[in-house]
Amino acid sequence: MAKEVVRQYLPLMDEEGRGAATDDGLGRDRHYLPDTPEEDPYQAGHRTCAGCGPAIEYRWVLKAAGQDTVVAGPTGCMYVANSTYLCTPYTVPWAHTPIASGGSFTAGMAAGYEALIRKGRHPGPYPNIITMSGDGSAADIGLGPISGALYRNHDALFICYDNECYANTGIQVSPTTPYAGMTTFTPFGKAIPEGTRLPPKNLARMMAEGHPHCYVATATVGYPVDLMNKTRKGLNHRGAAFMHCFTPCQKGWVYQTSMTVEIGRRVVEAGLFPVWEYDPEQRKYHYFHPPVQRPVTDYLAMQGRFGHMLPEHIANVQQQANRNWETIGMDVPAELREGEDPERHRRLREETYSMPLNRGVGA
Ligand SMILES: Cc1ncc(C[n+]2csc(CCOP(=O)(O)OP(=O)(O)O)c2C)c(N)n1
Ligand code: SF4
Ligand SMILES: [Mg+2]
């Protein structure tokens, strides 16, 4: 007789808790961390760059998932830099897949565990099954297999760690590279002064709209508790879940190494990466409303990849951010509306600074 497939339940962490006591004055509970699990299935000893956003994401996701987890990693930085010959930083089973196959490999793992447990050949419980693909893999080369796995509703969490480029092969443009983000395949010049001309593919929306029975969420490394809780919600969800996580790439984006988490917050506060959850039962989006709204320059000026931007390009990005604020149901303050005018940005050409002043609206 077929055995029952027992699922695990991972409790959520308190997102408020001690946060109130560590407010940084801007309403941001920056230093707040709940009592996170001590175990670290992604250990020290990997070989990613200092300040690597994807490595931070891997660590928090696996901390949230715990030891009873299996992971698949398609080709990309987080395969190459993490698996030098005979050595990985994982204390959980991990497998490399070809760059196109994260979705199909993980679907196979999920179906395999179900079958083995039912037949009594694996004692269970059903493990946490996670695949973490780069944006080149998830949004481009391996998009089809992930979409197929979501459609068939395999019980696993499919994550795209998004560093907005094909990093491992030398920072080439990917479908999630933002407008005006410079890459080695989109250098700026006289013909194309903005570098990257196209808007980024809205991967998470595609996944939510296209697979309405799946749990879908966006997250950034700027909000670790939120990231860990969404990992747990995705794993607790019975069926397929997809998470799109914004993960700065220190090497490709050219910024101060220690600023990875700060950039992960500023992108949200600048309105350029809305953080939300899609609830498949209600078929509704739940948007996070950041307590601070900043001009996009507070985000752009931190990164060398945007250093070539002209006033009209910055105005275009502010327009895009303002539309995002409207989409998530927030008012657009007058200062941010004024930022849609290129004239307002002309003066920035004259200014040189490595870190922007804090000009957050409401700060
Ligand atoms: C079919 C195929 N095409 C190209 C490559 C070369 N390749 C290896 S890693 C990589 C970059 C992957 O980018 P992404 O998925 O965004 O991960 P990242 O390196 O940014 O972490 C590429 C193109 C490959 N391994 N397989
Ligand atoms: S190139 Fe970017 S993504 Fe790759 S290891 Fe370095 S910081 Fe991380
Ligand atoms: Mg990438």
Side-chain angles (χ1 to χ4, degrees), residues 162-164 176 178-179 181 220 246-249 253-255 259-273 294-307 309 314 317-318 320-321 353-357 359:
D162 188 1
N163 55 12
E164 301 184 341
T176 59
Y179 167 80
T220 91
F246 176 90
T247 53
C249 166
W253 300 10
V254 192
Y255 60 82
M259 288 293 131
T260 304
V261 170
E262 180 66 22
I263 289 177
R265 285 227 160 181
R266 287 202 182 199
V267 73
V268 178
E269 295 172 349
L272 292 171
F273 189 90
R294 295 173 180 277
V296 293
T297 43
D298 278 6
Y299 169 73
L300 301 173
M302 292 175 82
Q303 301 166 59
R305 65 176 172 154
F306 296 119
M309 286 175 75
I314 299 170
V317 175
Q318 188 64 63
Q320 177 198 326
Y353 52 84
S354 58
M355 284 285 294
L357 300 172
R359 283 170 287 131

Side-chain angles (χ1 to χ4, degrees), residues 2-240:
K3 299 243 178 355
E4 190 195 351
V5 181
V6 177
R7 253 78 190 179
Q8 307 180 53
Y9 175 77
L10 296 161
L12 300 187
M13 293 167 205
D14 178 9
E15 290 193 51
E16 304 299 330
R18 284 179 285 149
T22 53
D23 192 318
D24 71 346
L26 300 179
R28 310 192 305 172
D29 56 339
R30 309 176 121 173
H31 309 293
Y32 162 59
L33 282 179
D35 296 324
T36 53
E38 280 190 14
E39 59 192 343
D40 250 328
Y42 182 74
Q43 290 272 326
H46 54 82
R47 292 169 177 79
T48 66
C49 306
C52 172
I56 295 173
E57 183 261 353
Y58 260 57
R59 184 171 176 213
W60 289 114
V61 164
L62 291 182
K63 202 178 235 318
Q67 209 55 49
D68 195 1
T69 300
V70 292
V71 189
T75 317
C77 269
M78 296 308 285
Y79 154 56
V80 177
N82 283 328
S83 58
T84 312
Y85 185 58
L86 292 182
C87 166
T88 80
Y90 303 101
T91 62
V92 292
W94 170 88
H96 166 239
T97 84
I99 194 168
S101 314
S104 40
F105 182 95
T106 307
M109 273 205 292
Y113 271 107
E114 289 248 15
L116 288 173
I117 295 171
R118 275 212 205 102
K119 288 180 181 174
R121 294 201 201 149
H122 185 282
Y126 188 82
N128 300 312
I129 300 178
I130 302 177
T131 185
M132 292 194 262
S133 319
D135 46 297
S137 172
D140 204 0
I141 304 176
L143 173 62
I146 294 178
S147 173
L150 294 182
Y151 172 68
R152 294 189 304 275
N153 210 19
H154 291 286
D155 196 358
L157 173 59
F158 300 81
I159 299 178
C160 171
Y161 70 86
D162 188 1
N163 55 12
E164 301 184 341
C165 61
Y166 281 92
N168 190 246
T169 34
I171 323 295
Q172 290 95 12
V173 68
S174 89
T176 59
T177 302
Y179 167 80
M182 195 178 69
T183 69
T184 50
F185 277 9
T186 53
F188 70 96
K190 280 189 188 150
I192 306 180
E194 61 271 67
T196 300
R197 213 164 232 178
L198 295 171
K201 192 182 278 190
N202 197 335
L203 179 66
R205 279 273 186 194
M206 275 172 65
M207 293 311 202
E209 295 290 325
H211 313 86
H213 56 285
C214 297
Y215 170 85
V216 180
T218 65
T220 91
V221 293
Y223 300 86
V225 184
D226 181 64
L227 171 57
M228 285 192 283
N229 275 342
K230 284 174 175 162
T231 300
R232 290 188 165 186
K233 284 186 191 175
L235 290 169
N236 289 342
H237 174 72
R238 175 80 169 80

